[in-house]
Amino acid sequence: MTKISGADAMFQVMYDWDIDHVFGFPGGSFDSGMNAVHNWKDKIKFIEVRHEEAGALAASAEYKLTGKLGVCFGSAGPGAAHLFNGLYDAKFDKTPMVAIVANVPTSRQDIDFFQAFDEDKWFLNASVWCRQPKTADQIPVIMDEAIRQAYARKGPAVVIIPKDFGWQNIDDNFRVNYNAHVKDNYPAPTKTSVEDAVKLLKEAKNPVMYYGLGAKGAGDEIKEFAEKFKAPLLTSYLGKGIVEDDFPAYMGTIGRIGPKPAQEVQNYTDLVVWVGNNSPFSILWFPKNAKVIQIDVDPAKFGKRHKTDVSMLADAKKALRAIIDAGEERRESPLYKAAIADRENWDAWQTSFKDSDESPVRPEPIWDVINKEAADNAVFAVDVGNVNVDHCRLLKLHDDQKWTTSGLHATMGYGAPAALTAATVYPDREVWQLAGDGGFAMMNQELLTMARYNMHVLNIVFTNETLGYIQAEQEDESNQPLSGVILPDNDWAKVAEGMNVKGVTVRTKKEFEAAVKEWKKMDGPMLIDVKYTHEMPYSTELNTLDDPAFVKKYQAEDLKPFSYFAEKYGLEADAASGASQHEETEPEPAPDTVSGASQH
């Protein structure tokens, strides 16, 4: 029988699973793997990143963008340790991926050898499945199972390969049954759950829909639901883009990073249609006595973030279609009218700054150019920080545009690795990396990777000389003096040029627009260093428009408080507060000292 090395057999499995590229960084403990990389170079492309964390984050980003798992690898010891951020990002965001981790030879394990540690124990918590083969013959079996488990459990699987096993020759007789793998096929709702949901919708005064990433693919049904039942649409951050941002009933993301209307509207509802959403911060939102119709494919999610009155274990698209077909069309509720007016007021206020000549430049002029210049199928790799706030509020997603970020793990530095993935899987699309100077500083070495493979990526760095998201937390939440957030004004254009990437510094909307147009005509990557305002985004957490100092700080003279629209459209006080069952006066909120995380 034909023989094959353990490492080559592992690559054969990947190839049989239609995997055509892998992200990684070489090391001595993975020399058998690098030999396989060479042997398979005509079938599986090797993207050599400059840091293993970048490779792991890139692999995590792949499923988020394509629905197909990504693969990365790292060597034993430090190479393995560098993978953890990407693995936890995938685990938190329920993203299938496979990480191949090299280990020292089996004869050198468990004796305090060079670069050796108990990898299986370390990676158990960071993965949904983790195995080290006991013999070289098991390598293809383990690799095949890792891919299956990653898809089945929606998370990262880890395969640990001892150095000696990778070199050993084994029988070349293992082939996967790739055609047996099927796409998710979730159930339709029960007749009783549909009837119960329709009953609650009919009885509600001010229904809303709150959806997340689990509603992906149900955009048409969500819009039809909103129009038929006159329900404002609210999302988690990861739900952005399922419905185009310009859809009138879309209020945006609830929480700190979202716009003012979403934060206000959620306080006024008496019924939430909760679809495919597990945002941990949603325990803080909606009136406690509001009823909930929850749609999810995971029974463990029911009632996890809010009490649930109707549980629908079903596919979002199928469940919403059933409710739409069975329910009666509603008239516009007071909340619906107020919400539409509140959003129009917010949009007009943001638009009023799009040609501002303030210096340093405001966000609105820059994002106006991005909205106008980005192709209809552009892919946005979004880092973590204040860039999430501006992206959430100002980028108007439409058509076949895609985006990705680090959601629940919220790891800074995500933007550059995700851009590598986007450029690899969508070589004919525009790829825009959007990053603050804090996040970009963590993974900027991947400019070298973009230059090496001539990736057509536009890296936009918003330089505001601070860790803005943390600065706002220190100022608005914990009310403490600023500590550890100030950054030097780095010359990122010069850094880019040193890494063989075209670099441009801009300070105005006109300069930014010219730089974007230059990139669109050229090959390869470019970096634009935008010298950005040091002012923080409008605080939806404070949102005190009755305070003249607040209004002055955010130039919010043209914004109206939601109470104005509530009164105008006759929104009842009890319905607005959701407090009819709570007679006690709520205490003043204490500083947030427990979450320690971005409210995505």
Side-chain angles (χ1 to χ4, degrees):
M1 182 175 290
T2 304
K3 297 290 185 177
I4 187 173
S5 75
D8 279 305
M10 178 173 62
F11 271 67
Q12 177 70 62
V13 171
M14 288 192 286
Y15 181 73
D16 288 347
W17 271 94
D18 198 30
I19 292 167
D20 60 8
H21 62 273
V22 58
F23 302 94
F25 190 89
S29 55
F30 197 65
D31 49 12
S32 63
M34 296 313 302
N35 192 65
V37 165
H38 173 77
N39 292 341
W40 286 85
K41 64 181 182 296
D42 295 332
K43 296 179 179 179
I44 298 178
K45 184 177 182 180
F46 171 43
I47 309 297
E48 186 180 338
V49 294
R50 305 321 319 155
H51 194 292
E52 292 91 350
E53 180 179 345
L57 288 169
S60 177
E62 185 153 345
Y63 183 86
K64 298 179 187 182
L65 288 171
T66 69
K68 181 179 175 182
L69 66 73
V71 179
C72 66
F73 65 78
S75 58
H82 285 164
L83 297 172
F84 278 105
N85 242 355
L87 288 166
Y88 275 108
D89 178 75
K91 188 173 183 180
F92 277 47
D93 283 355
K94 297 192 176 302
T95 301
M97 64 170 282
V98 172
I100 303 166
V101 184
N103 203 348
V104 300
T106 52
S107 63
R108 297 291 184 266
Q109 293 176 18
D110 302 319
I111 58 171
D112 298 327
F113 195 67
F114 177 69
Q115 291 190 331
F117 63 88
D118 294 334
E119 292 179 353
D120 54 345
K121 297 181 179 66
W122 278 66
F123 284 99
L124 277 174
N125 185 261
S127 64
V128 295
W129 188 89
C130 175
R131 297 289 189 277
Q132 175 176 298
K134 301 297 189 296
T135 66
D137 298 282
Q138 289 184 327
I139 288 178
V141 181
I142 294 291
M143 187 65 194
D144 180 61
E145 189 64 18
I147 296 171
R148 295 176 186 277
Q149 292 292 335
Y151 277 124
R153 302 191 189 190
K154 296 291 189 294
V158 172
V159 178
I160 301 170
I161 305 294
K163 179 175 180 174
D164 52 331
F165 284 2
W167 283 116
Q168 284 184 26
N169 284 330
I170 62 175
D171 290 340
D172 185 12
N173 61 356
F174 184 85
R175 292 294 179 270
V176 306
N177 193 0
Y178 170 67
N179 291 333
H181 179 67
V182 296
K183 293 182 178 180
D184 294 331
N185 183 21
Y186 297 116
T190 64
K191 181 174 182 292
T192 299
S193 67
V194 173
E195 291 172 348
D196 291 343
V198 168
K199 181 176 182 293
L200 287 186
L201 268 171
K202 186 175 182 178
E203 295 171 350
K205 292 182 179 180
N206 296 294
V208 303
M209 180 188 288
Y210 176 52
Y211 63 90
L213 192 58
K216 189 175 183 179
D220 289 342
E221 286 75 17
I222 290 170
K223 289 187 289 185
E224 189 176 347
F225 185 100
E227 290 172 339
K228 181 168 184 175
F229 299 116
K230 308 302 184 291
L233 301 176
L234 313 168
T235 66
S236 68
Y237 181 31
L238 297 182
K240 179 181 171 71
I242 293 175
V243 167
E244 60 270 22
D245 284 86
D246 283 337
F247 185 69
Y250 180 58
M251 300 295 115
T253 294
I254 310 177
R256 178 180 165 193
I257 70 171
K260 170 178 171 284
Q263 186 74 356
E264 293 174 322
V265 168
Q266 60 93 9
N267 290 310
Y268 283 63
T269 184
D270 61 344
L271 175 65
V272 185
V273 181
W274 193 300
V275 187
N277 202 335
N278 188 39
S279 168
F281 291 98
S282 56
I283 61 173
L284 307 173
W285 302 325
F286 304 111
K288 298 302 180 186
N289 60 328
K291 295 183 182 300
V292 170
I293 301 166
Q294 188 170 359
I295 301 169
D296 211 293
V297 295
D298 182 359
K301 299 295 189 300
F302 294 121
K304 183 174 182 179
R305 307 299 185 186
H306 194 291
K307 74 175 182 67
T308 299
D309 298 273
V310 176
S311 298
M312 304 184 77
L313 185 64
D315 173 75
K317 191 178 185 75
K318 295 174 183 176
L320 292 176
R321 170 51 53 201
I323 295 173
I324 292 167
D325 291 344
E328 298 177 7
E329 186 166 2
R330 293 175 54 98
R331 294 181 179 180
E332 292 182 346
S333 68
L335 177 58
Y336 186 80
K337 294 176 182 178
I340 296 294
D342 192 29
R343 176 182 164 163
E344 289 173 349
N345 178 235
W346 173 261
D347 286 348
W349 177 72
Q350 288 194 133
T351 301
S352 70
F353 297 107
K354 71 181 180 65
D355 293 317
S356 167
D357 58 2
E358 289 182 40
S359 183
V361 65
R362 287 182 63 101
E364 294 87 355
I366 298 300
W367 291 82
D368 183 54
V369 173
I370 296 173
N371 284 324
K372 290 176 179 177
E373 293 295 334
D376 290 343
N377 66 349
V379 184
F380 299 96
V382 186
D383 214 302
V384 169
N386 266 1
V387 66
N388 297 125
V389 181
D390 291 339
H391 164 260
C392 183
R393 299 179 186 181
L394 295 171
L395 186 67
K396 304 300 182 184
L397 290 166
H398 58 85
D399 294 292
D400 194 28
Q401 291 178 338
K402 294 177 178 286
W403 73 279
T404 179
T405 196
S406 178
L408 289 179
H409 194 47
T411 184
M412 293 172 66
Y414 179 88
L420 299 182
T421 299
T424 300
V425 299
Y426 298 120
D428 298 324
R429 293 195 185 194
E430 293 180 359
V431 177
W432 300 58
Q433 185 202 169
L434 309 173
D437 45 350
F440 185 72
M442 294 186 173
M443 281 283 137
N444 69 87
Q445 76 282 339
E446 297 311 319
L447 291 177
L448 291 166
T449 311
M450 296 177 194
R452 178 175 181 176
Y453 299 105
N454 199 38
M455 296 176 171
H456 194 223
V457 176
L458 181 57
N459 302 276
I460 302 174
V461 182
F462 303 99
T463 298
N464 65 351
E465 302 174 46
T466 183
L467 300 177
Y469 202 91
I470 300 174
Q471 176 181 329
E473 286 182 331
Q474 291 182 358
E475 289 178 334
D476 296 342
E477 293 183 14
S478 51
N479 301 308
Q480 67 186 80
L482 294 183
S483 179
V485 298
I486 305 304
L487 300 173
D489 180 15
N490 196 46
D491 189 340
W492 288 113
K494 185 179 290 185
V495 170
E497 293 285 350
M499 296 189 188
N500 300 312
V501 171
K502 171 73 174 177
V504 180
T505 299
V506 303
R507 291 178 170 81
T508 67
K509 179 180 183 178
K510 185 176 180 180
E511 290 175 350
F512 180 68
E513 186 173 22
V516 170
K517 290 182 181 295
E518 180 183 358
W519 170 72
K520 289 172 79 75
K521 295 177 182 177
M522 63 176 270
D523 243 357
M526 175 190 274
L527 180 141
I528 304 177
D529 184 359
V530 182
K531 299 307 182 183
Y532 214 46
T533 180
H534 297 181
E535 298 297 324
M536 292 296 104
Y538 182 97
S539 174
T540 54
E541 289 182 306
L542 300 181
N543 196 27
T544 49
L545 288 172
D546 56 345
D547 179 358
F550 180 90
V551 172
K552 182 179 180 181
K553 177 179 180 179
Y554 296 109
Q555 301 180 41
E557 290 80 7
D558 293 333
L559 279 180
K560 297 184 183 300
F562 193 77
S563 57
Y564 170 86
F565 301 109
E567 181 178 354
K568 180 177 180 179
Y569 294 104
L571 193 56
E572 297 176 7
D574 283 345
S577 68
S580 58
Q581 297 178 7
H582 302 277
E583 298 179 0
E584 303 89 0
T585 302
E586 293 290 332
E588 288 293 319
D592 179 6
T593 60
V594 295
S595 71
S598 306
Q599 293 191 21
H600 286 193

